[in-house]
């Protein structure tokens, strides 16, 4: 009870701080404050790690405040855009952040109704009559705008049906959507012919309901991540993917499959029935079975055998041996003699072994895509995470690291072999 009161007080103080900041004169850059209030979400209990990462990007410790489990408010964050105009790459895409609400505006007052909160949210983000962003959004294609309803309970994984205030927040978002559809095609559902245009110009409005009468709102463009997905995360509210499978109808050898599924959902891409995958450190088979759910064939490498069902699967080839010594080109060592579509690895190893593994696979172009975990015994090894990114870039692979909700003291690395060219904002730029 005491903890709940403290968190409620923190939420109220956070909103008050945002309101105070908005009343003060603000320096503007392209119509946006240079210093403003941002919210970041993370796996609850990892708030201090996210704060540490934010400090690496110029945030002061005193400006970072935990306002709810898994939710940070950051004041006076040096200006970062959510998309680089030069490359189209995400900006400030932090490893330990699941979602970001940039440049938030506070709305609400005592006794505010759902309709009043919806109207105020639209005005606050510059979409009211004569608003700063009306013309910008008016030209966006159908289906480009997503609106997310967020509440504090959500960030610690509480099911939405049980999350306090979520029904009210969802109703506010529904009202906002209905009002915006009258003026902006972007708020209307995309047809089959509009889908590609909508993807290229995605916009995200987020409504974070702090209590029944007050909220923080944000409207931003989303940047495409080269490995797949966007930042901020356009398709997953709070950056959270529902990856739990029914234990009775879809039993899995271990719970580790959730981490791999989160990577697939975040990247918005997964193996297909024509893909061949390599699973390094496969036993007891959680990731192998996750890959098989997509119909892909799998070469599973480990010193220990897999779950009995997988050992009998005709589309699973088990190779008993050292995951770090395996090459898909080595037919004598169990490889198929050619590169594969996916390499995934959940091997328990020292952090420095991961860049070594990636160096062999990236330089050899042994896989088009990779999902690999880097595990820590204590604090995150930022040096090895940076080294892994350097290895990927040097070999022409896009790289992104995320601490997902189902990660423990580890980080998931996602890599994708870059094409020779990439289209960004209608222009062709070098991709390799």
């Amino acid at each position: 009870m005491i903890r709940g009161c403290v968190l409620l007080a923190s939420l109220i103080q956070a909103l008050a701080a945002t309101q105070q900041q908005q009343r003060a004169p603000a320096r503007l850059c392209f119509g946006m404050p240079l210093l403003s209030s941002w919210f970041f979400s993370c796996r609850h209990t990892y708030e201090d790690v996210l704060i540490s990462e934010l400090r690496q990007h110029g945030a002061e410790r005193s400006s970072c405040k935990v306002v709810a489990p898994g939710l940070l408010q950051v004041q006076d964050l040096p200006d970062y855009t959510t998309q680089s105009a030069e490359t189209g790459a995400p900006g400030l895409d932090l490893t330990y952040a699941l979602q970001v609400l940039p440049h938030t505006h506070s709305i609400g007052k005592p006794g505010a109704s759902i309709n009043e909160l919806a109207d105020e949210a639209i005005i606050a983000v510059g979409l009211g009559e004569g608003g700063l962003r009306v013309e910008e959004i008016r030209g966006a294609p159908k289906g480009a705008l997503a609106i997310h309803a967020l509440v504090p309970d959500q960030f610690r994984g509480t099911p939405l049906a049980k999350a306090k205030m979520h029904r009210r927040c969802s109703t506010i978002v529904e009202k906002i959507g209905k009002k915006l559809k009258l003026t902006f095609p972007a708020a209307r559902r995309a047809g089959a012919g509009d889908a590609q245009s909508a993807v290229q110009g995605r916009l995200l409005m987020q409504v974070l309901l702090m209590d029944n009468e007050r909220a923080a709102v944000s409207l931003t463009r989303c940047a495409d991540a080269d490995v797949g997905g966007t930042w901020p995360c356009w398709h997953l509210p709070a950056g959270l993917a529902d990856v739990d499978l029914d234990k009775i109808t879809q039993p899995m050898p271990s719970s580790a499959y959730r981490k791999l599924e989160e990577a697939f959902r975040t990247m918005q891409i997964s193996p297909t029935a024509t893909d061949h995958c390599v699973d390094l450190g496969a036993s007891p088979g959680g990731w192998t079975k996750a890959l098989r759910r997509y119909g892909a064939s799998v070469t599973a490498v480990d010193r220990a055998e897999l779950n009995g069902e997988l050992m009998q699967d005709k589309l699973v080839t088990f190779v008993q041996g050292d995951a770090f010594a395996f090459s898909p080109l080595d037919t004598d060592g169990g490889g198929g003699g050619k590169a594969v579509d996916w390499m995934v690895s959940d091997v328990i190893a020292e952090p420095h072994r991961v860049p070594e593994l990636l160096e062999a696979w990236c330089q050899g172009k042994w896989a088009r895509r990779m999902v690999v975990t880097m595990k820590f015994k204590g604090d995150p090894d930022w040096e090895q995470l940076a080294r892994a990114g350097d290895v990927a870039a040097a070999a022409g692979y896009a790289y992104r690291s995320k601490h997902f909700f189902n990660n423990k003291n580890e980080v998931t690395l996602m890599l994708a072999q870059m094409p020779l060219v990439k289209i960004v904002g209608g222009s062709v730029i070098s991709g390799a």
Side-chain angles (χ1 to χ4, degrees):
M1 181 67 181
I2 293 174
R3 178 173 174 78
C5 292
V6 170
L7 288 175
L8 180 58
S10 295
L11 285 169
I12 293 172
Q13 290 172 7
L15 194 58
T18 305
Q19 291 172 328
Q20 172 103 20
Q21 183 182 32
Q22 290 174 349
R23 284 194 293 267
R27 295 180 295 147
L28 299 180
C29 176
F30 304 109
M32 297 298 292
L34 278 174
L35 298 175
S36 64
S37 178
W38 292 42
F39 286 86
F40 292 88
S41 69
C42 66
R43 171 66 160 93
H44 61 286
T45 73
Y46 284 85
E47 295 89 352
D48 286 342
V49 181
L50 178 54
I51 290 172
S52 172
E53 189 176 7
L54 280 161
R55 292 182 66 186
Q56 297 177 34
H57 291 273
E60 296 292 334
R61 177 63 181 86
S62 58
S63 71
C64 302
K65 187 172 186 178
V66 179
V67 296
L71 182 63
L72 268 63
Q73 183 183 31
V74 184
Q75 302 282 359
D76 300 337
L77 183 68
D79 187 51
Y80 292 93
T81 60
T82 55
Q83 183 170 7
S84 164
E86 291 78 20
T87 66
L92 203 62
D93 183 5
L94 301 175
T95 296
Y96 278 81
L98 291 171
Q99 184 63 302
V100 59
L101 287 74
H103 303 297
T104 61
H105 307 263
S106 64
I107 64 169
K109 61 184 179 181
S113 68
I114 286 174
N115 266 320
E116 287 172 330
L117 288 169
D119 288 339
E120 195 171 345
I122 291 170
I123 293 170
V125 298
L127 296 183
E129 186 175 354
L132 290 173
R133 305 193 68 176
V134 168
E135 293 307 314
E136 172 194 355
I137 308 303
R138 196 191 301 276
K142 281 185 180 180
L145 177 65
I147 311 174
H148 292 175
L150 305 172
V151 294
D153 271 359
Q154 201 167 342
F155 299 99
R156 59 182 173 186
T158 303
L160 296 184
K162 298 181 179 179
K164 296 177 182 177
M165 302 185 295
H166 192 266
R167 179 177 294 182
R168 179 176 177 84
C169 192
S170 296
T171 305
I172 294 169
V173 163
E174 288 172 9
K175 295 284 186 184
I176 292 171
K178 288 179 180 179
K179 293 171 186 289
L180 293 182
K181 285 177 184 177
L182 299 175
T183 306
F184 303 102
R188 301 167 195 159
R189 180 171 299 186
D194 304 310
Q196 187 58 41
S197 297
V199 166
Q200 292 174 350
R202 288 193 270 202
L203 299 150
L204 177 60
M205 182 174 179
Q206 298 177 85
V207 181
L208 172 58
L209 192 62
M210 298 289 211
D211 59 36
N212 281 329
E213 300 167 333
R214 295 185 289 182
V217 295
S218 170
L219 175 64
T220 186
R221 288 192 174 274
C222 296
D224 291 328
D226 288 332
V227 299
T230 66
W231 187 249
C233 191
W234 185 86
H235 61 290
L236 297 175
L240 297 172
D242 182 5
V243 295
D244 288 345
L245 298 176
D246 186 276
K247 293 181 180 180
I248 297 176
T249 61
Q250 301 183 77
M252 300 293 282
S254 73
S255 62
Y257 76 89
R258 295 188 181 102
K259 297 179 289 186
L260 185 59
E261 288 291 348
E262 278 195 271
F264 292 155
R265 300 288 183 87
T266 298
M267 294 186 294
Q268 294 184 277
I269 189 167
S270 56
T272 68
T274 60
D275 285 344
H276 184 68
C277 310
V278 168
D279 182 4
L280 299 178
S283 183
W287 282 27
T288 293
K289 188 160 185 179
L291 295 168
R292 288 291 296 118
R293 289 183 65 245
Y294 294 96
S297 59
V298 183
T299 298
V301 185
D302 206 315
R303 297 185 187 278
E305 291 190 352
L306 307 181
N307 173 280
E309 173 194 350
L310 292 170
M311 293 296 290
Q312 301 301 317
D313 190 329
K314 293 182 179 180
L315 289 180
V316 175
T317 301
F318 175 67
V319 177
Q320 192 162 34
D322 181 2
F324 288 95
F326 177 83
S327 164
L329 307 186
D330 181 8
T331 54
D332 292 336
K338 60 181 180 180
V340 297
D341 299 293
W342 290 81
M343 182 274 277
V344 300
S345 172
D346 195 27
V347 174
I348 298 174
E350 295 289 334
H352 73 271
R353 298 296 307 276
V354 175
E356 294 172 1
L357 178 71
L358 293 180
E359 190 166 19
W361 280 80
C362 290
Q363 288 186 356
K365 302 292 192 293
W366 290 349
R368 292 187 298 111
R369 286 184 170 273
M370 306 180 212
V371 178
V372 179
T373 54
M374 181 184 290
K375 301 177 186 295
F376 312 117
K377 290 183 178 179
D379 294 335
D381 194 329
W382 299 109
E383 180 180 350
Q384 294 304 325
L385 282 170
R387 185 182 164 207
D390 291 342
V391 166
Y397 280 78
Y399 168 88
R400 193 180 188 194
S401 59
K402 277 292 163 190
H403 182 263
F404 289 124
F405 190 85
N406 287 288
N407 281 128
K408 296 179 182 176
N409 197 15
E410 60 193 354
V411 164
T412 300
L413 315 181
M414 296 161 281
L415 291 81
Q417 195 170 353
M418 291 292 287
L420 295 178
V421 295
K422 182 185 177 186
I423 308 297
V424 177
S427 301
V428 179
I429 65 171
S430 174

PDB file of all heavy atoms in Angstrom, residues 331-343:
ATOM      1  N   THR A 331      31.251 -29.284 -44.341  1.00  0.00           N
ATOM      2  CA  THR A 331      30.417 -30.489 -44.438  1.00  0.00           C
ATOM      3  C   THR A 331      30.925 -31.603 -43.525  1.00  0.00           C
ATOM      4  O   THR A 331      30.132 -32.419 -43.043  1.00  0.00           O
ATOM      5  CB  THR A 331      30.384 -30.996 -45.889  1.00  0.00           C
ATOM      6  OG1 THR A 331      31.725 -31.178 -46.349  1.00  0.00           O
ATOM      7  CG2 THR A 331      29.672 -29.990 -46.791  1.00  0.00           C
ATOM      8  N   ASP A 332      32.233 -31.630 -43.272  1.00  0.00           N
ATOM      9  CA  ASP A 332      32.773 -32.641 -42.361  1.00  0.00           C
ATOM     10  C   ASP A 332      32.326 -32.403 -40.925  1.00  0.00           C
ATOM     11  O   ASP A 332      32.251 -33.348 -40.128  1.00  0.00           O
ATOM     12  CB  ASP A 332      34.306 -32.650 -42.427  1.00  0.00           C
ATOM     13  CG  ASP A 332      34.826 -33.162 -43.764  1.00  0.00           C
ATOM     14  OD1 ASP A 332      34.082 -33.912 -44.421  1.00  0.00           O
ATOM     15  OD2 ASP A 332      35.956 -32.791 -44.141  1.00  0.00           O
ATOM     16  N   GLY A 333      32.038 -31.135 -40.593  1.00  0.00           N
ATOM     17  CA  GLY A 333      31.617 -30.794 -39.231  1.00  0.00           C
ATOM     18  C   GLY A 333      30.121 -30.711 -39.062  1.00  0.00           C
ATOM     19  O   GLY A 333      29.624 -30.209 -38.043  1.00  0.00           O
ATOM     20  N   GLY A 334      29.368 -31.173 -40.049  1.00  0.00           N
ATOM     21  CA  GLY A 334      27.913 -31.180 -39.937  1.00  0.00           C
ATOM     22  C   GLY A 334      27.219 -30.067 -40.683  1.00  0.00           C
ATOM     23  O   GLY A 334      25.986 -29.990 -40.690  1.00  0.00           O
ATOM     24  N   GLY A 335      27.989 -29.177 -41.312  1.00  0.00           N
ATOM     25  CA  GLY A 335      27.388 -28.092 -42.080  1.00  0.00           C
ATOM     26  C   GLY A 335      26.860 -28.583 -43.406  1.00  0.00           C
ATOM     27  O   GLY A 335      27.205 -29.667 -43.886  1.00  0.00           O
ATOM     28  N   GLY A 336      26.044 -27.763 -44.032  1.00  0.00           N
ATOM     29  CA  GLY A 336      25.442 -28.157 -45.302  1.00  0.00           C
ATOM     30  C   GLY A 336      26.231 -27.741 -46.517  1.00  0.00           C
ATOM     31  O   GLY A 336      25.796 -27.944 -47.651  1.00  0.00           O
ATOM     32  N   GLY A 337      27.390 -27.086 -46.276  1.00  0.00           N
ATOM     33  CA  GLY A 337      28.228 -26.687 -47.387  1.00  0.00           C
ATOM     34  C   GLY A 337      27.885 -25.347 -47.989  1.00  0.00           C
ATOM     35  O   GLY A 337      28.470 -24.944 -49.001  1.00  0.00           O
ATOM     36  N   LYS A 338      26.966 -24.601 -47.384  1.00  0.00           N
ATOM     37  CA  LYS A 338      26.604 -23.290 -47.915  1.00  0.00           C
ATOM     38  C   LYS A 338      26.069 -22.402 -46.797  1.00  0.00           C
ATOM     39  O   LYS A 338      25.747 -22.865 -45.700  1.00  0.00           O
ATOM     40  CB  LYS A 338      25.562 -23.413 -49.017  1.00  0.00           C
ATOM     41  CG  LYS A 338      24.257 -24.054 -48.571  1.00  0.00           C
ATOM     42  CD  LYS A 338      23.273 -24.165 -49.729  1.00  0.00           C
ATOM     43  CE  LYS A 338      21.954 -24.802 -49.277  1.00  0.00           C
ATOM     44  NZ  LYS A 338      20.994 -24.903 -50.405  1.00  0.00           N
ATOM     45  N   ALA A 339      25.982 -21.101 -47.090  1.00  0.00           N
ATOM     46  CA  ALA A 339      25.455 -20.136 -46.116  1.00  0.00           C
ATOM     47  C   ALA A 339      23.979 -20.423 -45.847  1.00  0.00           C
ATOM     48  O   ALA A 339      23.295 -21.077 -46.650  1.00  0.00           O
ATOM     49  CB  ALA A 339      25.624 -18.717 -46.636  1.00  0.00           C
ATOM     50  N   VAL A 340      23.492 -19.918 -44.720  1.00  0.00           N
ATOM     51  CA  VAL A 340      22.108 -20.177 -44.313  1.00  0.00           C
ATOM     52  C   VAL A 340      21.336 -18.863 -44.245  1.00  0.00           C
ATOM     53  O   VAL A 340      21.901 -17.775 -44.384  1.00  0.00           O
ATOM     54  CB  VAL A 340      22.066 -20.898 -42.948  1.00  0.00           C
ATOM     55  CG1 VAL A 340      22.743 -22.253 -43.050  1.00  0.00           C
ATOM     56  CG2 VAL A 340      22.704 -20.049 -41.847  1.00  0.00           C
ATOM     57  N   ASP A 341      20.046 -18.982 -44.022  1.00  0.00           N
ATOM     58  CA  ASP A 341      19.199 -17.783 -43.950  1.00  0.00           C
ATOM     59  C   ASP A 341      19.274 -17.120 -42.586  1.00  0.00           C
ATOM     60  O   ASP A 341      19.323 -15.889 -42.493  1.00  0.00           O
ATOM     61  CB  ASP A 341      17.751 -18.169 -44.274  1.00  0.00           C
ATOM     62  CG  ASP A 341      17.621 -18.753 -45.670  1.00  0.00           C
ATOM     63  OD1 ASP A 341      17.824 -17.995 -46.636  1.00  0.00           O
ATOM     64  OD2 ASP A 341      17.353 -19.954 -45.787  1.00  0.00           O
ATOM     65  N   TRP A 342      19.266 -17.930 -41.525  1.00  0.00           N
ATOM     66  CA  TRP A 342      19.271 -17.393 -40.162  1.00  0.00           C
ATOM     67  C   TRP A 342      20.303 -18.146 -39.315  1.00  0.00           C
ATOM     68  O   TRP A 342      20.419 -19.368 -39.421  1.00  0.00           O
ATOM     69  CB  TRP A 342      17.911 -17.572 -39.486  1.00  0.00           C
ATOM     70  CG  TRP A 342      16.808 -16.726 -40.023  1.00  0.00           C
ATOM     71  CD1 TRP A 342      16.061 -16.955 -41.141  1.00  0.00           C
ATOM     72  CD2 TRP A 342      16.297 -15.514 -39.449  1.00  0.00           C
ATOM     73  NE1 TRP A 342      15.114 -15.965 -41.296  1.00  0.00           N
ATOM     74  CE2 TRP A 342      15.237 -15.068 -40.270  1.00  0.00           C
ATOM     75  CE3 TRP A 342      16.618 -14.772 -38.306  1.00  0.00           C
ATOM     76  CZ2 TRP A 342      14.510 -13.917 -39.998  1.00  0.00           C
ATOM     77  CZ3 TRP A 342      15.900 -13.629 -38.034  1.00  0.00           C
ATOM     78  CH2 TRP A 342      14.859 -13.204 -38.874  1.00  0.00           C
ATOM     79  N   MET A 343      21.002 -17.397 -38.470  1.00  0.00           N
ATOM     80  CA  MET A 343      21.763 -17.990 -37.368  1.00  0.00           C
ATOM     81  C   MET A 343      21.222 -17.389 -36.083  1.00  0.00           C
ATOM     82  O   MET A 343      21.107 -16.171 -35.964  1.00  0.00           O
ATOM     83  CB  MET A 343      23.259 -17.714 -37.483  1.00  0.00           C
ATOM     84  CG  MET A 343      24.084 -18.375 -36.348  1.00  0.00           C
ATOM     85  SD  MET A 343      24.208 -17.369 -34.830  1.00  0.00           S
ATOM     86  CE  MET A 343      25.573 -16.280 -35.245  1.00  0.00           C
TER      87      MET A 343
END
